[in-house]
Amino acid sequence: MTSRKPRALALFALAAMSALTFALAGAVLPSSAVPHAEAQRLRATVYVTQAAIPRGLTEKALVGFGRGHQARTMNESTEAEIEQRHWLANMIVQFNAPPGDLEYHALFYNVTDGARNFVDDMAIYLNGRDQRTYVQRLNLARPRFQPNKRYELVITVRRAEVGSTRFETRGEEPRRSGQVDFSVEDTRARD
């Protein structure tokens, strides 16, 4: 019987210490602060569309349009030579709260091979600090962007990633015949 008393006393002391630690943690960090801090975390929803956005849409209608016309595959322009072609689109960004800054960035990564390979950075300047929804025109030009690749677009505010989306580019690859023509001047030895 005497061996059970020290063990029971040790368990009681351990339970009391756990309760005290839990109470102190609640006193230092109130439970109401945890959800509030999570609610304050800035997040962004990003839509990329190649459809023409109608004028005069409300903020809610604009986000609905972006959701309904999201481009998972972007087609390139075909009016120029292959080297001068590009992908035109509109990016709609909706923040859960005003970003609180006059600038945010759109970072583009090539994720075709699985890993993120940085491609380009676009700084976007805002008209006011209280807006939550923004539209930005995108012009993704060759050779920086390539056809038939997968890309990830990441939105950052003060270097913190707050939202992202992925899309693929479709386009014509440059054709090479494999034949090389040399002129007589090119083949003569230089003296």
Side-chain angles (χ1 to χ4, degrees):
M1 235 331 150
T2 58
S3 66
R4 289 187 184 214
K5 277 188 177 181
R7 194 163 112 191
L9 189 58
L11 286 174
F12 177 73
L14 183 62
M17 287 180 64
S18 296
L20 180 63
T21 303
F22 184 72
L24 286 176
V28 173
L29 185 62
S31 62
S32 62
V34 175
H36 181 66
E38 184 63 29
Q40 293 297 332
R41 184 171 170 254
L42 185 65
R43 292 181 307 277
T45 306
V46 185
Y47 303 104
V48 175
T49 180
Q50 286 192 300
I53 298 175
R55 296 203 178 270
L57 293 178
T58 64
E59 192 172 319
K60 185 176 179 180
L62 179 65
V63 171
F65 180 86
R67 186 179 299 118
H69 292 86
Q70 174 85 357
R72 297 289 181 204
T73 303
M74 291 177 41
N75 296 311
E76 72 178 342
S77 62
T78 56
E79 64 273 356
E81 294 293 321
I82 290 179
E83 294 81 22
Q84 286 82 34
R85 291 185 183 174
H86 53 267
W87 292 266
L88 293 175
N90 288 305
M91 174 179 66
I92 301 169
V93 179
Q94 181 188 34
F95 292 99
N96 65 334
D101 202 350
L102 291 175
E103 168 185 21
Y104 67 91
H105 288 259
L107 305 175
F108 294 90
Y109 295 96
N110 183 334
V111 292
T112 304
D113 298 328
R116 276 184 171 180
N117 296 312
F118 179 76
V119 176
D120 201 5
D121 176 11
M122 175 188 283
I124 301 159
Y125 298 97
L126 310 177
N127 293 331
R129 293 180 188 264
D130 56 343
Q131 265 186 295
R132 292 180 37 193
T133 305
Y134 302 93
V135 177
Q136 178 66 40
R137 187 88 171 135
L138 299 177
N139 184 357
L140 312 178
R142 290 185 190 223
R144 191 164 289 214
F145 291 89
Q146 300 171 355
N148 308 318
K149 303 286 183 188
R150 287 189 308 250
Y151 291 93
E152 182 175 18
L153 186 156
V154 177
I155 300 297
T156 62
V157 177
R158 289 181 228 103
R159 290 185 229 111
E161 291 186 12
V162 295
S164 68
T165 189
R166 289 187 176 206
F167 60 89
E168 294 182 36
T169 55
R170 291 287 176 237
E172 190 176 343
E173 298 276 353
R175 293 188 189 132
R176 295 181 175 80
S177 66
Q179 296 179 354
V180 180
D181 292 331
F182 292 102
S183 67
V184 174
E185 293 81 30
D186 292 336
T187 58
R188 286 192 184 150
R190 306 240 180 221
D191 294 331

